[in-house]
Amino acid sequence: MRMRTSAAAVVGALALTALAVPAAQADGHDGDTAITKVTVNGGKNVVVGTSLVKKFTVTVTAKDNSGIAGADIELHGPGFGYLSGTTRCSGSTCTASFTVDPKVDLPYSNDVAGTWYVDAWVDGKDDDYVWKQKAASFKFQRASTQTVNAAPEPVKKGKTITVTGKLARANWDDFKYHGYTSQPVKLQFLKKGGKTWSTVKTVKTNSTGTLKTTVKASVDGYWRYSFAGTTSTPAVNSTGDFVDVK
């Protein structure tokens, strides 16, 4: 069995120095070993905040006429973002477990947020193997929050209401949430008793991540801000703020 070993592998922790990044290798294989499926975090992006430890898995399904003997699964992203997990195989599926503690693994590393890739090496029991860089991609993101407040409440029909809010995201420099600036956010409305939110307008956050706009009140309902997300930051909706229209 030809298991690849990575120099300076860091198990379950982000390696943020150039020395921890394994040397690049071209894709390759020997024999009939093939990767058929890769799933990261159950198909969801990996979102990390400022304090809670994030645990997730990556599963690689492969095939070989002799069976699967083992695998090495690593993750890499922007900057010096790098993760190596503990991998175990059962049948044709190999699972790597990863743990990210933001205060231990992410100090001063906002630049590692973005698109990440899975690198996988799988060995067959007959000494065949397959090595594939970028076998799958996913987003490693800074957690986001969104607030809303519609006022005044109640309001007379036809009068103006002001809808404010703030879009913020985790900052791994000081482990606080800071406003996400210059981002388009949708102001949405849900009529009382309705089921579908409708977009009224798009508002851009200012230099502190704050949102502010005005609309005319016509019927009772809920107002919210909805952010679609970016590569580095997940989508988020505020809770709905109910306005009673008299």
Side-chain angles (χ1 to χ4, degrees), residues 23-182:
Q25 302 179 41
D27 293 355
H29 72 94
D30 185 16
D32 68 338
T33 311
I35 295 170
T36 59
K37 184 178 180 181
V38 179
T39 302
V40 179
N41 194 33
K44 300 178 181 179
N45 293 324
V46 177
V47 179
V48 183
T50 58
S51 59
L52 296 180
V53 173
K54 177 67 178 182
K55 295 183 178 181
F56 65 99
T57 60
V58 176
T59 59
V60 173
T61 304
K63 63 180 181 179
D64 185 280
N65 61 6
S66 67
I68 301 302
D72 184 8
I73 300 171
E74 300 171 349
L75 312 176
H76 74 271
F80 294 126
Y82 170 66
L83 278 168
S84 178
T86 301
T87 304
R88 294 180 175 84
C89 296
S90 177
S92 61
T93 299
C94 297
T95 302
S97 299
F98 299 89
T99 300
V100 179
D101 183 337
K103 291 190 175 181
V104 174
D105 305 317
L106 294 174
Y108 304 102
S109 56
N110 288 327
D111 61 341
V112 304
T115 301
W116 279 57
Y117 298 95
V118 178
D119 300 336
W121 180 293
V122 181
D123 285 297
K125 292 182 178 179
D126 56 1
D127 231 19
D128 292 348
Y129 71 90
V130 61
W131 159 243
K132 187 171 181 61
Q133 288 185 308
K134 298 185 177 181
S137 65
F138 65 98
K139 301 293 189 303
F140 187 88
Q141 298 177 310
R142 299 160 60 180
S144 56
T145 61
Q146 176 70 67
T147 63
V148 70
N149 182 58
E153 306 171 53
V155 64
K156 290 185 179 180
K157 184 176 181 179
K159 294 296 183 178
T160 298
I161 60 173
T162 300
V163 187
T164 58
K166 184 171 183 177
L167 173 65
R169 60 175 177 170
N171 186 305
W172 297 327
D173 291 344
D174 58 9
F175 304 105
K176 297 179 181 180
Y177 280 79
H178 293 263
Y180 197 6
T181 65
S182 302

Side-chain angles (χ1 to χ4, degrees), residues 195-217:
K195 296 181 179 180
T196 304
W197 289 89
S198 59
T199 297
V200 177
K201 63 173 71 174
T202 297
V203 186
K204 184 168 287 190
T205 58
N206 66 11
S207 60
T208 63
T210 299
L211 296 155
K212 184 177 181 180
T213 191
T214 58
V215 291
K216 296 290 185 180

